[in-house]
Amino acid sequence: LLTAEENNSPVILGVSEGAGKYMGGYKTVVGMVKGMIEDLNITVPVAIHLDHGSYDGALKSIEAGFTSVMIDGSKYDFEENIRVTKEVVDYAHSKGVVVEAELGKLAGIEDDVNVAEEDAMYTDPAQAEEFVKRTGCDSLAIAIGTSHGAYKFKGDAKLRFDILSEIKKRIPETPIVLHGASSVMPNLLELCNTYG
């Protein structure tokens, strides 16, 4: 928070369900962040975001005061992902909370999300367009070849910029989120950013 304040930059504090439990629960997380904001005289906008949340985790974190949640329905089939995401979006929006959703499956491990490389799936651009229209999510995490976890790109990175480009054309007003990009080469990240 101090670095964000020094740079006059808004900040998103991401918390996984596992981290939320470890810290004593979502209300504790919100209380800690609010306490730091007050004690440190933080004036920049601070968002508290649940990362890769389950349905129950998303609802509980919203009730606790999180300002942003990710509902990760990527383990479900397309229609079930839409149903679960739409329920979270409707509840979150009634509380003024923004929602990130996920469509496609990234290989790797993050908290309780564990997808084998052979089970990873790229996001279908036509489905991305339909998904956003039907759920009303505020941003969409997509799968174009990045992966979760510490060990990435053991060979050449095979990022599908064609998929990224087509999705951006179909949902130009919806921010696209690229999970698993922390060890992607900077020149490839710059290319990703050209698509928004």
Side-chain angles (χ1 to χ4, degrees):
L1 289 178
L2 287 173
T3 301
E5 186 70 21
E6 288 169 11
N7 289 285
N8 195 32
S9 174
V11 63
I12 300 170
L13 301 176
V15 179
S16 68
E17 287 196 10
K21 290 175 188 169
Y22 177 78
M23 295 170 72
Y26 300 128
K27 287 182 182 177
T28 302
V29 171
V30 171
M32 289 171 62
V33 172
K34 285 183 176 179
M36 288 189 295
I37 289 169
E38 186 177 311
D39 290 347
L40 299 172
N41 297 313
I42 303 299
T43 61
V44 297
V46 177
I48 308 172
H49 176 75
L50 178 67
D51 192 30
H52 290 285
S54 65
Y55 178 83
D56 289 338
L59 297 184
K60 288 177 182 173
S61 64
I62 292 166
E63 290 167 7
F66 277 51
T67 55
S68 173
V69 297
M70 177 195 188
I71 174 64
D72 185 349
S74 64
K75 66 181 178 183
Y76 302 120
D77 67 35
F78 184 64
E79 288 298 325
E80 182 67 3
N81 191 352
I82 287 174
R83 186 191 68 74
V84 169
T85 300
K86 177 85 169 99
E87 284 186 22
V88 171
V89 167
D90 288 347
Y91 181 69
H93 285 178
S94 77
K95 304 288 187 184
V97 174
V98 296
V99 179
E100 173 191 348
E102 183 164 343
L103 187 62
K105 294 182 181 179
L106 273 68
I109 300 171
E110 182 161 334
D111 220 16
D112 291 333
V113 178
N114 187 345
V115 177
E117 195 167 326
E118 61 270 15
D119 294 328
M121 294 180 348
Y122 293 110
T123 302
D124 177 277
Q127 283 189 340
E129 182 178 16
E130 181 181 352
F131 186 88
V132 168
K133 283 179 182 173
R134 288 177 61 190
T135 65
C137 64
D138 300 291
S139 62
L140 183 65
I142 62 171
I144 64 163
T146 56
S147 61
H148 290 132
Y151 305 103
K152 302 175 189 182
F153 300 130
K154 293 177 182 153
D156 291 330
K158 293 179 177 65
L159 301 180
R160 294 286 307 272
F161 292 105
D162 58 323
I163 292 173
L164 176 59
S165 176
E166 182 62 23
I167 290 173
K168 192 59 186 172
K169 284 178 193 169
R170 288 175 176 263
I171 55 169
E173 302 301 315
T174 304
I176 294 172
V177 182
L178 194 59
H179 284 251
S182 59
S183 65
V184 174
M185 300 292 287
N187 62 319
L188 294 177
L189 280 179
E190 286 179 31
L191 186 55
C192 290
N193 287 332
T194 64
Y195 294 100

